[in-house]
Amino acid sequence: MPVRDHDLAGIREAVAKLCASFPMEYWRATDRERRYPTEFVRALTEAGWLACLIPEEYGGAGLPLRAAAAVLEEIQRSGANGAACHAQMYTMGTVLRHCSEAQKKEYLPKIAKGELRLQAFGITEPSAGTDTSAIRTTAVRKGERYVVNGQKVWTSRAEHSDLMLLLARTTPREQVQKKTEGMSVFLVDMKSALGKGLTIRPIRTMINHATTEVFFDGLEIPAENLVGEEGKGFRYVLDGMNAERILIGAECIGDARWFLAKATAYANERKVFGRPIGQNQGVQFPIARAYMATEAAALMVERAAGLYDSGQPCGPESNMAKQLASEASWQAGDMCLQTHGGFGFAEEYDVERKFRETRLYQIAPISTNLVLCYLAEHVLHLPRSY
Ligand SMILES: Cc1cc2nc3c(=O)[nH]c(=O)nc-3n(C[C@H](O)[C@H](O)[C@H](O)COP(=O)(O)OP(=O)(O)OC[C@H]3O[C@@H](n4cnc5c(N)ncnc54)[C@H](O)[C@@H]3O)c2cc1C
């Protein structure tokens, strides 16, 4: 479905209005207490924003990725922390393309209504790291079930999600021709699995991200919860990645714009030596530089989202969008902290919280080096480095 610029403006306005009912004190408190922002996620769900990518026939809004990007950018621009719920959009890239009609009919209407949350995806493992093909979690078929054993790390929102998209090995690495073959994706009903082979252990981190370690010990999953074909899971996960990178890029643009607004306001209002600090070029120039970097990155995010929505290949653009936007948001965050001087460290200014939160996106879902490796190998045709 095409989306016009004025539609996007309307989406931004509506999301901004919703976010305005969650004041900064709300985000400070949830951050301080490492509490999941349940009320915010509920409000977004009830307003239909978290189902915006779900096709209308399953109860969603059927909007394109550009619209989802506008939603997430606006959440971040308001000062909120959308990491609590963004994965419901990221996971759609895999679900919409590869789940069977029966699976879509079973889950999507319930997700759209807010009866089920699909906020967790388990790919990363402690020993495999970025080398996904080295995952050790196995799913072995036994009749009409798969039996899962292994461990995931950094499985975010696992305690607050009903469903998890899980990547596991169904054929040992030694028995496949290409190491990326032999992995499969499953939809795991986490609520019924808890205590029956699934254990979740929270990890306290420098940000409020509700991330966890997940352990599988003989967990049984019905065979019908396999997504697509057995052994093709890596491909399915890759298919979802462009959408994820673009959406994260949009979130970073939102963060950068929040930092820019916050810094310019403070630079105009704070007086030292009898004049606004923003009158000094030493303060103005980093703000102007961060603004340029943000606007340039925003163009790449828009370009990647436009290509994605028109069904064209967009791997390089999605990766560049995520990288440029995460670097721009970090540059803007650093500038904003510096502009605030000592007050940047005070919780009540929210700068230190956003500074911590935006740093994640140079590491997750893929670290900067690996984006550079991708561009070097696949776009510039340099030798593969790993
Ligand atoms: C808060 C948080 C939430 C997360 N949420 C999720 C989630 O919900 N689901 C999920 O599956 N994962 C999640 N992740 C995991 C995240 O995707 C990984 O942390 C990320 O992909 C990097 O993997 P790693 O931590 O194992 O780093 P490693 O792979 O161990 O890499 C460590 C460093 O070495 C560099 N490096 C490694 N190999 C190379 C190479 N060949 N060339 C150059 N540099 C290299 C990397 O760039 C990185 O800087 C989350 C992580 C965090 C921190």
Side-chain angles (χ1 to χ4, degrees), residues 83 86-87 90 119-132 152-158 165 167 203 205-212 244 360-373 385-386:
H86 56 192
Y90 303 166
Q119 294 283 6
F121 57 99
I123 297 176
T124 311
E125 296 189 7
S127 58
T130 306
D131 183 4
T132 304
K152 296 285 169 183
V153 70
W154 306 120
T155 312
S156 304
R157 301 159 297 272
L165 268 187
L167 185 73
I203 308 176
T205 59
M206 68 188 256
I207 51 173
N208 184 24
H209 203 87
T211 197
T212 70
E244 185 184 38
L360 174 64
Y361 301 117
Q362 286 185 62
I363 290 175
I366 182 160
S367 59
T368 50
N369 278 1
L370 272 296
V371 170
L372 297 173
C373 289
S385 63
Y386 56 96

Side-chain angles (χ1 to χ4, degrees), residues 28 258 262 266-267 269-272 277 333-355:
R28 271 173 231 147
W258 183 88
K262 190 90 177 160
Y266 191 76
E269 140 208 325
R270 169 79 169 162
K271 291 206 174 62
V272 182
I277 56 167
D334 191 42
M335 167 283 289
C336 188
L337 190 70
Q338 193 71 18
T339 303
H340 279 75
F343 290 107
F345 287 78
E347 186 192 62
E348 66 176 291
Y349 283 77
D350 302 297
V351 177
E352 58 84 33
R353 172 178 61 81
K354 292 287 281 182
F355 177 84

Side-chain angles (χ1 to χ4, degrees), residues 18 28 37 73 135 144 146 208 256 265 295 368 382:
L18 184 152
R28 271 173 231 147
E73 181 192 322
I135 61 167
E144 282 313 294
Y146 282 90
N208 184 24
E295 291 304 302
T368 50
L382 291 162

Side-chain angles (χ1 to χ4, degrees), residues 372-383:
L372 297 173
C373 289
Y374 169 85
L375 291 175
E377 181 187 347
H378 295 285
V379 180
L380 302 168
H381 307 297
L382 291 162

Side-chain angles (χ1 to χ4, degrees), residues 298-357:
L299 288 178
M300 187 58 82
V301 174
E302 276 167 33
R303 178 167 161 69
L307 288 171
Y308 185 95
D309 282 335
S310 58
Q312 294 180 66
C314 59
E317 291 78 7
S318 308
N319 276 282
M320 289 190 285
K322 182 266 184 193
Q323 178 103 340
L324 292 170
S326 65
E327 287 176 355
S329 73
W330 179 241
Q331 183 180 348
D334 191 42
M335 167 283 289
C336 188
L337 190 70
Q338 193 71 18
T339 303
H340 279 75
F343 290 107
F345 287 78
E347 186 192 62
E348 66 176 291
Y349 283 77
D350 302 297
V351 177
E352 58 84 33
R353 172 178 61 81
K354 292 287 281 182
F355 177 84
R356 285 183 277 117
E357 287 167 0

